[in-house]
Every structure is written in structure tokens, then in C-alpha cells.
Amino acid sequence: MTHVSSGNKKQLAALVAAMTVGLLAAASASAAGSGPGYDDPNNWPQYHRSYNAWRFSPLEQINKTNVKNLHVAWIHQPGSITHGLQATPIVVDGVMYTIAADNNVFALDAATGKIIWRYTAKLDPIVKEVFYGSASRGVTVGRGKVFVGTLDGRFVALDQKTGKELWSTQLSDMKKDYGALFSSPPQLAGDTLFGGTTGGDQPIIGKIFAVNADTGARTWTFEVPKDDPKSWPGDSRKVGGGSAWLPGTYDPTTDTIYIGTSNAAPDFNHEDRKGDNLYTATLLALDPKTGKIKWHRQEVPQDTWDFDSAYEALLVPDATGKTQLVHLNKNGFVYVMDKDNGAMRNVWQYTENMNWSKGVDPKTGLPIDPVYPETDKQKLHCPNLLGARSWNAGAYNPKTKLWYSQGMEVCNTVTSAKQGPVPGIGGLSLGLSEITLTNPPGKKADGWLGAFDPLTGKQAWKVRFEMPPLSHVLATGGGLVFTGDMFGGLYAFDADNGKELWKFNAGSGARGGPISYAVNGKQYIAIPTGLGSHSPGFLTGAFPQIRNLPGGAALLVFTVD
């Protein structure tokens, strides 16, 4: 045995420590490629992790070989199971920021789950009357703050280190706007904080708001229904709905906000709004400083099926290296556009069951021979009002060049009806007397997770589920795809072929956003669980067994040794 002096022992210990840190850093560094999506590999700093909305973690410590050894590292339970956990957690420098029902915000030690601070919003009692209550889809972290969109129509900024409230700005008039609230986290575009409310299904003028992120001072407001009598005849604009209820994204390379808007109201009856109903069911490209439109693409003119354009704006490089914008609409089509001007590049059919139109013109992006609901007539429409996929986002892996996204093969019968006065702030302007989610003709309703070339729609593989999965999807550098189902099954699939490599029973379904991050060189997978949102309720028409599924709210964090 070699003798080492005490002085040399200290030097040796320091050297070993330095080498260990170096090796751990190398483990993370080896996971990093270059460019957007690979940046900041140890963190999950924003809603989709990177501005291109990939939901891709470049970390590869957990991979196809060892994923079978995933085990629970820690569990966080916020204490309320109302609507489950719908958030995508944010992780910055070893701290996780997340939100549970009724705007309860937590800062957690991302390695242990220990609570660092908790913020409980003091909400206006009016929130007990709203339709879209309790749930929140996340927080935003930046500029030393944690930003929240509240259930009583405010943007709130908290101190990132302490959770102390720094400012609060009331944006929505809850009484006049039928309880229009922020169910999704506002997003940052430099020093601008922006976001839209619920309200597409209500007799209001839907809005997108922006404030100064440091002070909370209002900077601009964008009214979604365009002030144009050709687009909105008569008084239809005043009750036209429209909103932007999901998080937009900000492209710092062009200083552009991408944000999609919801359906027009009444949802299923257009007798009083026979125009194109701009800017509902539209993808908007906005200037973050002014809120002015750079370009727009209305994917569903005069939407009468509840086919929002609210989903994520995926930015994907093509074979020439030019970035294209890929946008799934609830209507079952994927629109591929030039991200700088919205020009159509391609369109492909996403859903297997389609009858509301004969297709989309690849040059104009307009639907071909759409089949509208008719007053007092029951009609079957595929896909259903929840969409060919719900609001849970897909994930793109730049290594496989595949987009992993879920689908629901469910239709609905609708009997359109003239909309009368909407009672109470929790009332909806649906323009119908009946709606029932049901099987596609000659088939049994189900769901799937698919892997596609996002630019062409070419399918690489597809995994079927008894009921549509409603969890977001996570793709990783380790060649894995994570998601969850409504029964509470959590899964890891092989990104190349869809083979199931790991499954865990969480006890209640998954609705939030799985993420991956690293602390001190160790990779973690975090998956929010607890079946919630309004979608499962609608889906009971096609899947009555949902009524027997348990609620829950547990954030499960996994790792390998």
C-alpha cells in the first residue's frame, strides 16, 4: 500500500473531488448537442423546455438500457386533488417550481422534493362561480421572478428565492367577462409577459394581455375578435368568444410571439356570425413590444366545430436547414408553414377518422367542403370537440427527427341550436341542444401515441391505448419517449420503434407535463399525476369507465442509481 501524507491527502481529495465534478459535468456535457433544444441541458427552464416547443431533454444518462431500473426518488403531494396536476414543472439550478389546484405554487429542492417555499394565492370568491376553476397548467420563471396567471384574472409575480408576492395586476373583468381566467402560465418575451384567458366558449370579446414583467404595468391588449363587420356581422363580435387559453411561445431569433386562438362563440351555431370570424381559430405571430400582428393564419374560418388553433407552435428544421413551423389543429390536420410569414409549405391529416371536411387545400390552407352543423339537426362530426388530440403537447427528438404526439379517435354527435342569453358567469355559449362523444362509424373509440415526420406526416410507429392518453409527451437524448395514460400507467417507449421499455402504476391518470433535468450530475424524470381537467368528463360519452377512475395529485420523480 502506498503511504500518502496528510498534506497530500488533502491535495488528493481535492483532485478526486475535482475529477468527480468534471466527470459529472462531462456526463451532462456529453448530452449536449448544439443549438436550440440542446441548450441548458440540466434545466427545464420554460413550459416546453426550449422556445421551439420540442419538449426534448438532451440528457442521456437514463437510456434504453437502464430505464428498466427507474425507481421513485421522491414524491410531492400538494394536498388537493381537484382537477389533478395539469402543470409542466419548471426546473432552474436545482430548484423545481410547480403549481397545483387553486394557484398553490411550490418551490422544491429538485433532488429531494423538500419544500423551499409555498405561495397560496388569495383569490376573489368569484372563482367559486367560474366554469374553468381550480386548475392551473404551470408557472413561468425568469428575471428573478416566478410568474402566475390566476383563477381570478390576474398576472402575479413572486420573488424567485422567497415566494414573496412582488406585484399583482388585474387584467380580466371577471364579472363582465363571464369568469375569463388564466388557466395557463403567461410567458416571457424579453421584458414582456403575455398570455390569454379562457373564454372561447363564452359571450365575450376574448383578449390577449401583456404587461411589463418587472413592474406589472399593462403594455398592450389584443382583442381576438377583429373589429370588422365583414368578419363579424351585426353585434356578433361582442359575444364572439375567442381567446388564447394555452401558452404561446417566443422566438428570440426573430423577436416574435406565436400564440394560437380558440373557437368563435356560440361554438356550434353560426347563424348570427356568417363571416370568417377573424382572429378566432387562428395562429398569430405578434410583435411582443406592441402586440401588433406580423402575420396570421386562420386555420378554421367561421369555426362551428370548436376546433381551436390553440396548440403549440413547433419549430423544426427541414432538409435544407430552414426552420418550418408545424402546427396541429384540433380539426385533425397539421399545418406546415414558413415561420417568418406563415406561407403554407404542407398540410397532412393527423387523425384516422375525419368527416367534417374533405381535406385542406395545401396552397391556401383552407378547408375543402366543410360540413357545418345545422340548427335543430343532429350531425356526427369527426374529430370531436376536444380535438384529434387534446391540449397535451407532443415532443420532438432532433436525433430521430420524429415528433411524438398522441391522438384520440373519438367523434361527437351535435344538435345545433340558436343561443339564448347565457345565465351566470359560469355559463357557456355553446349553441347546441345536445352533444355526445361517441365511437367513430363502425369502430370502437380509442387513442394512440404516434411517431411522425412532422414535416410530411410519414408515420414511423404507433402504440394503441384503450382510452386516449391525456399526458404531455417527453422525448430524451437517451432515446426514450415518456408519457402516461388515464388509468395511471406511466410509460417509457423506445423512440425508434415504440417498444415499451418501462411501466409504472401511479394510481391516478396523468394530465400534466413529464420533464427531465439533472442535479449534481444525476438525471431525473418528473411526471405529474392525478386525472383532471374537463376532458375526462366529456369523454365519458365514449368511455363510461372513466366515471370509476380515481382522482389524485402526486408529482412523482424517478431516477436510476
Side-chain angles (χ1 to χ4, degrees):
M1 179 179 287
T2 303
H3 176 73
V4 181
S5 69
S6 60
N8 285 339
K9 282 180 181 177
K10 291 180 180 179
Q11 290 179 324
L12 183 61
L15 179 61
V16 170
M19 288 176 64
T20 303
V21 171
L23 286 169
L24 291 175
S28 292
S30 69
S34 60
Y38 285 96
D39 300 337
D40 200 10
N42 293 335
N43 292 328
W44 192 281
Q46 55 178 295
Y47 189 73
H48 297 299
R49 207 192 85 80
S50 49
Y51 74 83
N52 47 27
W54 286 1
R55 286 189 174 254
F56 167 75
S57 168
L59 297 175
E60 53 193 21
Q61 190 179 83
I62 299 170
N63 53 50
K64 297 179 186 181
T65 302
N66 64 10
V67 69
K68 63 180 180 292
N69 300 323
L70 265 189
H71 62 83
V72 175
W74 55 267
I75 300 172
H76 171 68
Q77 298 192 53
S80 172
I81 67 171
T82 306
H83 277 302
L85 293 181
Q86 300 183 36
T88 296
I90 302 296
V91 176
V92 178
D93 298 335
V95 179
M96 178 182 290
Y97 305 89
T98 190
I99 192 167
D102 300 316
N103 294 152
N104 282 281
V105 184
F106 296 86
L108 309 171
D109 183 313
T112 68
K114 180 181 178 182
I115 296 176
I116 298 170
W117 56 255
R118 175 178 181 170
Y119 168 83
T120 301
K122 295 179 181 178
L123 298 172
D124 189 307
I126 202 169
V127 301
K128 297 177 182 177
E129 303 175 44
V130 303
F131 183 79
Y132 298 102
S134 290
S136 187
R137 299 190 181 100
V139 297
T140 291
V141 178
R143 307 179 75 84
K145 302 173 184 67
V146 177
F147 300 100
V148 184
T150 71
L151 298 169
D152 56 3
R154 295 176 290 143
F155 285 172
V156 173
L158 311 177
D159 184 280
Q160 187 175 341
K161 292 182 179 178
T162 67
K164 179 183 177 182
E165 187 173 303
L166 300 176
W167 56 255
S168 171
T169 303
Q170 187 71 46
L171 296 168
S172 174
D173 186 324
M174 295 291 286
K175 290 183 179 179
K176 291 183 179 179
D177 291 340
Y178 281 80
L181 55 87
F182 296 100
S183 59
S184 294
Q187 299 297 301
L188 281 169
D191 63 358
T192 294
L193 185 73
F194 68 95
T197 67
T198 58
D201 309 314
Q202 291 162 311
I204 65 171
I205 294 176
K207 301 176 182 71
I208 301 168
F209 299 94
V211 304
N212 181 289
D214 296 323
T215 66
R218 296 178 67 156
T219 52
W220 51 262
T221 300
F222 181 92
E223 294 188 346
V224 173
K226 185 180 181 182
D227 191 2
D228 178 0
K230 291 182 180 178
S231 195
W232 297 91
D235 292 330
S236 61
R237 178 178 182 266
K238 295 178 182 178
V239 293
S243 58
W245 52 280
L246 284 177
T249 49
Y250 170 65
D251 180 355
T253 66
T254 58
D255 194 31
T256 303
I257 289 170
Y258 298 113
I259 189 166
T261 67
S262 77
N263 55 283
D267 294 35
F268 295 95
N269 191 284
H270 61 206
E271 287 191 13
D272 294 326
R273 54 175 178 87
K274 290 194 173 178
D276 55 12
N277 305 147
L278 284 171
Y279 292 101
T280 61
T282 298
L283 182 67
L284 296 167
L286 302 178
D287 182 305
K289 295 179 181 63
T290 64
K292 301 295 184 185
I293 296 177
K294 291 187 174 185
W295 60 262
H296 76 276
R297 174 162 296 284
Q298 188 178 44
E299 293 167 344
V300 192
Q302 199 181 117
D303 176 15
T304 320
W305 305 267
D306 196 359
F307 288 154
D308 301 24
S309 296
Y311 295 167
E312 70 273 16
L314 184 71
L315 300 179
V316 178
D318 62 18
T320 69
K322 181 174 174 59
T323 299
Q324 305 293 345
L325 193 156
V326 178
H327 193 247
L328 168 66
N329 190 286
K330 283 170 68 174
N331 68 14
F333 293 100
V334 173
Y335 299 73
V336 182
M337 299 170 254
D338 186 307
K339 81 176 184 73
D340 296 323
N341 58 27
M344 288 294 297
R345 293 289 178 256
N346 190 29
V347 63
W348 54 275
Q349 185 172 318
Y350 182 83
T351 190
E352 296 166 6
N353 295 280
M354 167 77 61
N355 76 351
W356 79 274
S357 81
K358 293 181 180 178
V360 171
D361 187 311
K363 293 183 179 179
T364 67
L366 297 177
I368 300 169
D369 296 334
V371 180
Y372 286 93
E374 294 182 54
T375 302
D376 298 329
K377 291 184 180 180
Q378 186 184 70
K379 289 192 173 185
L380 179 76
H381 294 297
C382 307
N384 70 90
L385 82 164
L386 300 177
R389 190 198 77 196
S390 190
W391 53 262
N392 40 296
Y396 174 77
N397 187 328
K399 293 182 175 182
T400 63
K401 294 182 170 53
L402 293 174
W403 180 45
Y404 307 94
S405 186
Q406 293 155 341
M408 60 172 81
E409 297 303 328
V410 187
C411 304
N412 54 222
T413 60
V414 175
T415 304
S416 180
K418 288 278 287 182
Q419 180 65 51
V422 177
I425 69 166
L428 302 181
S429 175
L430 298 179
L432 53 72
S433 60
E434 171 270 336
I435 184 166
T436 306
L437 273 68
T438 188
N439 295 320
K443 303 176 185 176
K444 183 167 176 22
D446 69 352
W448 46 260
L449 171 67
F452 306 94
D453 180 323
L455 301 175
T456 67
K458 183 180 179 181
Q459 180 182 309
W461 53 261
K462 191 175 268 188
V463 175
R464 309 302 299 199
F465 288 81
E466 180 183 340
M467 294 190 296
L470 298 176
S471 164
H472 295 270
V473 183
L474 163 67
T476 73
L480 300 170
V481 178
F482 290 88
T483 196
D485 67 22
M486 277 206 273
F487 291 104
L490 309 180
Y491 302 87
F493 297 100
D494 187 312
D496 292 311
N497 55 33
K499 180 182 178 182
E500 183 182 308
L501 301 178
W502 172 80
K503 183 179 180 181
F504 182 89
N505 182 15
S508 181
R511 190 66 171 117
I515 67 167
S516 188
Y517 61 92
V519 182
N520 296 326
K522 180 182 278 290
Q523 183 183 357
Y524 297 86
I525 305 291
I527 307 180
T529 67
L531 189 60
S533 82
H534 289 286
S535 294
F538 278 108
L539 284 166
T540 55
F543 306 99
Q545 62 267 47
I546 291 175
R547 296 187 180 95
N548 298 320
L549 295 179
L555 177 62
L556 306 182
V557 180
F558 302 89
T559 192
V560 296
D561 293 325

